[in-house]
Amino acid sequence: MKDRIRIVALGGLDERGKSCYVIEINQDIFVISTGLRFPDRTTPGIDYIVPNFDYLRENKNRVKAYFLPHGHDDEIGALAYLYRDVPAPIYGTKVTLTMLRAFCRRVGVDCKSFEFHEMPASCDFKVGNRDISFFQTSHNIALSNGIAITTTEGNIVFTSDYVVENNATQSYLGDMASLSKIAEKNKTLVLMTPSMYANRPGYTAPKYKLRPLIERKVQNTEGRVFVALYTLNFYNIDEVISLAVSTRKKIVPYDENTTEVIRSMQECGQLNIPRENYANPEDINRLRDQDILVLMIDYHPRIYRKMALLASGQTDGGRIIKLKPTDLFVMAVPADDNEEIEATDAIDELYRSGCQVYNITKKEFYKMHPSEEDLKMMISLFRPTYYVPAKGFFKDLLNNAKVAVNTGTGLTHRNIFLLEDGLSLLIDESGAHILQENIVHGDVLIDGIGVGDVSQAVLEDRERLSQGAVIISVTVSKKERKILSKPDVQFRGIVFSRDNESMTNDVTKIFMTTLQDGLADPKCDLEKIKEECYDRCFRCIRRLSGKEPMVLPIIVEI
């Protein structure tokens, strides 16, 4: 009997992060990646954004396993919020599972009940009666892997992030032998590859390597060296630490978050810092400048705010760190498309501080994602029947599809499928086609310990509060229908270009007129009066200042 296969993404398509791919084979469900996305300026006050997992909750008895390709939060983070509702065995390498445990600690989730299965980066195993293969890939976090799931029609292969690299340490080296074995043993039904760099010609290697870009600058700098890196970019963190050791500098973690990342790498067995090359954060102002390399590590876009605060000389953890003209600040954190405003602000603050700034751009420093030739190599190796671009904005998916067409492996518009989140690809005896039904998907916002309890209205209120607030309070007698006190008008977080007193008088006049008209109404509904006061005062403030603050009319009845 032939297997009936359905592939659907609950996240990761036409977006950055939040990866989650559901592979259904007959009645069994296998989930590849359960990632999150970091908030931007459109989601103030939000910690993380995870996929809507209602489909998995509704079918939790069919979920047989979670396969985690690597330990980045955009691949594993959402599982901390999903597992309690949809438990199933979790398969990943030592590094991947260690990073999942670390994330759970960070967000206060107890993972003792999680069923972890620690696997080698390249191995074969079974889940039920289904044959599964892991194959090690080269990525910027150690012991990353792709996944192959066997079906009667051929393998479903998900490469996850990778680059073609033959010159790396064992933990970061792709296993070409395992790849070839999987491709030869069974035909490939579906190949899924990431799309972020599909429009970049050539290979990604060696442009993901940081040390060649900064080594000479670090050696020639007379003062302190600050290096900003993304969290979980293990490869580049390892490069910087090796450079510090070779130049006899002490590695100083900038803050507790950086210390935690270093601790996690050591816990995974992926980092060894000699004691004489390590110093605590509180030693940053006690050591000689030329002996210090300060590591600043955080998630994007938080890393930009951290850099801006340092550059402006603001206190961090009780320490005052002032950048000096002799200091070198290396920004090895090229911004994604939706983070350029925050990154530009941080760069500007750094230049204002007077220190030496080396801003490494996206053109000279790549993330470890496959470029055009990397993709062609993987497609030519597996020669799939069907091809599904994954991980990226729609333009990236389209570029990936164009690369596939140009490989000469028989891939055309008839067997390449550009999916969207919630859209299903069905493969059965009649071939492959996209189903018209749309599975429930979308964003779930994590705010502190709250999961999904922040509405769009709350986000709009937070956005408005960021522009300031106007509080107008007054006491009235509803029985006598008159105002008992002069309104108190307070502006918070707002700076006006015109005279403040004049603005206050205008707002007070409109508020009083609206209130008096409402009290004169025989029905005299205070809630409706508040709404009318809000509307008129808000329009007045917007007209006079161009701002849209939160307006809070408070009417106290006695």
Side-chain angles (χ1 to χ4, degrees):
M1 179 179 174
K2 293 185 177 181
D3 288 329
R4 185 178 186 272
I5 298 156
R6 182 158 80 162
I7 299 172
V8 61
L10 298 182
L13 299 183
D14 199 17
E15 61 182 335
R16 286 276 192 271
K18 201 160 69 70
S19 298
C20 184
Y21 303 93
V22 177
I23 312 297
E24 295 189 35
I25 305 174
N26 302 326
Q27 291 301 308
D28 294 340
I29 291 178
F30 304 93
V31 182
I32 299 177
S33 303
T34 51
L36 53 79
R37 192 173 80 234
F38 292 98
D40 55 26
R41 289 192 172 190
T42 65
T43 50
I46 298 302
D47 295 321
Y48 306 108
I49 302 168
V50 301
N52 185 321
F53 289 120
D54 286 351
Y55 182 74
L56 294 180
R57 292 188 180 95
E58 292 167 3
N59 296 276
K60 63 180 182 180
N61 293 329
R62 298 200 289 130
V63 177
K64 302 303 178 185
Y66 296 103
F67 300 132
L68 305 181
H70 60 260
H72 285 163
D73 289 351
D74 63 353
E75 298 285 342
I76 64 174
L79 193 53
Y81 304 100
L82 170 66
Y83 192 87
R84 182 181 63 182
D85 296 332
V86 190
I90 303 168
Y91 295 86
T93 64
K94 179 179 180 180
V95 172
T96 302
L97 298 184
T98 299
M99 300 317 298
L100 176 56
R101 291 187 184 97
F103 181 84
C104 288
R105 287 197 304 268
R106 192 162 71 243
V107 299
V109 172
D110 185 357
C111 62
K112 291 180 181 178
S113 63
F114 288 22
E115 186 181 338
F116 292 117
H117 293 262
E118 185 178 305
M119 314 298 293
S122 292
C123 64
D124 299 320
F125 58 99
K126 283 183 176 289
V127 176
N129 294 321
R130 186 73 51 187
D131 290 325
I132 311 294
S133 294
F134 277 4
F135 52 91
Q136 184 167 334
T137 56
S138 291
H139 191 40
N140 56 17
I141 186 167
L143 301 184
S144 300
N145 60 271
I147 298 110
I149 304 174
T150 302
T151 76
T152 58
E153 307 308 296
N155 289 335
I156 300 170
V157 178
F158 182 85
T159 66
S160 191
D161 296 313
Y162 73 95
V163 297
V164 176
E165 176 57 86
N166 300 314
N167 183 23
T169 58
Q170 190 61 42
S171 295
Y172 299 94
L173 189 63
D175 188 349
M176 294 303 297
S178 291
L179 281 168
S180 300
K181 180 181 176 182
I182 292 168
E184 292 173 3
K185 185 177 180 181
N186 200 5
K187 74 173 185 178
T188 301
L189 178 66
V190 180
L191 177 62
M192 302 174 69
T193 63
S195 308
M196 183 175 174
Y197 282 178
N199 67 328
R200 296 195 171 184
Y203 291 95
T204 296
K207 285 194 173 183
Y208 65 83
K209 296 183 178 181
L210 179 60
R211 183 164 179 167
L213 297 175
I214 68 172
E215 186 165 10
R216 182 169 295 180
K217 290 181 178 291
V218 171
Q219 290 172 343
N220 296 336
T221 298
E222 297 178 1
R224 299 171 298 184
V225 177
F226 291 77
V227 182
L229 290 166
Y230 287 130
T231 301
L232 304 184
N233 195 344
F234 279 18
Y235 187 91
N236 297 133
I237 294 172
D238 195 18
E239 280 188 297
V240 172
I241 289 175
S242 297
L243 177 57
V245 172
S246 67
T247 54
R248 299 180 180 179
K249 292 184 181 293
K250 289 187 180 293
I251 298 129
V252 181
Y254 178 72
D255 56 8
E256 181 56 37
N257 183 77
T258 306
T259 303
E260 178 62 29
V261 172
I262 291 174
R263 188 182 300 125
S264 297
M265 291 182 69
Q266 291 173 325
E267 196 176 324
C268 298
Q270 298 301 316
L271 186 63
N272 181 28
I273 304 176
R275 180 171 294 183
E276 61 271 17
N277 289 103
Y278 185 83
N280 294 317
E282 55 268 20
D283 295 328
I284 194 169
N285 291 323
R286 292 203 287 263
L287 297 169
R288 292 193 311 168
D289 287 358
Q290 61 266 38
D291 294 336
I292 295 176
L293 188 148
V294 181
L295 263 181
M296 177 188 287
I297 301 173
D298 212 326
Y299 300 92
H300 48 122
R302 299 176 193 174
I303 187 74
Y304 305 122
R305 174 170 172 77
K306 189 172 289 187
M307 289 188 294
L309 287 173
L310 169 64
S312 60
Q314 297 190 41
T315 302
D316 177 78
R319 298 170 295 143
I320 299 177
I321 305 172
K322 186 173 178 60
L323 292 175
K324 307 173 185 178
T326 54
D327 290 340
L328 169 67
F329 199 106
V330 178
M331 287 184 62
V333 283
D336 284 340
D337 295 343
N338 60 338
E339 298 167 353
E340 290 177 346
I341 293 176
E342 291 91 339
T344 301
D345 290 344
I347 295 168
D348 194 57
E349 288 293 337
L350 284 170
Y351 275 108
R352 285 177 182 274
S353 73
C355 73
Q356 304 169 50
V357 180
Y358 180 25
N359 177 33
I360 306 178
T361 66
K362 290 187 285 189
K363 291 184 177 180
E364 56 185 333
F365 181 48
Y366 289 4
K367 296 179 182 178
M368 289 180 75
H369 300 292
S371 296
E372 183 177 340
E373 294 301 323
D374 300 287
L375 291 170
K376 286 181 178 179
M377 186 283 295
M378 197 66 75
I379 295 169
S380 299
L381 177 65
F382 283 106
R383 307 184 74 85
T385 304
Y386 304 109
Y387 188 66
V388 178
K391 298 191 68 172
F393 292 121
F394 186 79
K395 64 180 178 64
D396 303 321
L397 305 179
L398 189 60
N399 287 327
N400 193 347
K402 290 177 180 178
V403 170
V405 169
N406 293 327
T407 58
T409 56
L411 293 173
T412 68
H413 66 283
R414 296 180 182 276
N415 52 3
I416 298 174
F417 294 91
L418 294 183
L419 300 181
E420 298 176 356
D421 289 346
L423 206 59
S424 298
L425 173 65
L426 178 66
I427 304 173
D428 55 17
E429 294 180 351
S430 63
H433 53 276
I434 294 176
L435 299 178
Q436 295 303 312
E437 64 173 325
N438 206 304
I439 289 176
V440 174
H441 64 283
D443 293 344
V444 175
L445 308 181
I446 308 296
D447 183 7
I449 61 173
V451 179
D453 54 1
V454 178
S455 66
Q456 185 61 37
V458 172
L459 292 179
E460 290 173 0
D461 284 347
R462 289 177 178 176
E463 180 65 27
R464 191 157 291 167
L465 279 169
S466 70
Q467 299 189 48
V470 180
I471 305 167
I472 313 170
S473 60
V474 70
T475 303
V476 303
S477 171
K478 186 177 180 181
K479 184 177 180 180
E480 298 179 10
R481 294 190 181 183
K482 69 176 184 178
I483 301 170
L484 300 180
S485 66
K486 184 180 179 181
D488 177 30
V489 182
Q490 299 183 31
F491 295 94
R492 294 289 181 265
I494 308 175
V495 178
F496 295 112
S497 58
R498 59 177 290 180
D499 182 67
N500 222 22
E501 185 177 349
S502 176
M503 175 70 73
T504 302
N505 291 336
D506 288 346
V507 174
T508 302
K509 183 178 179 180
I510 289 175
F511 179 78
M512 289 290 286
T513 301
T514 307
L515 182 56
Q516 287 169 346
D517 291 344
L519 291 173
D521 189 327
K523 296 182 181 179
C524 192
D525 187 334
L526 287 182
E527 288 303 316
K528 289 186 177 180
I529 293 173
K530 281 184 183 179
E531 292 177 7
E532 188 67 19
C533 287
Y534 165 82
D535 186 57
R536 292 186 181 180
C537 291
F538 175 75
R539 282 187 285 145
C540 171
I541 295 168
R542 183 174 59 185
R543 185 182 73 253
L544 296 175
S545 69
K547 300 179 184 294
E548 296 186 354
M550 177 70 74
V551 178
L552 301 173
I554 301 173
I555 301 175
V556 180
E557 179 188 358
I558 62 171

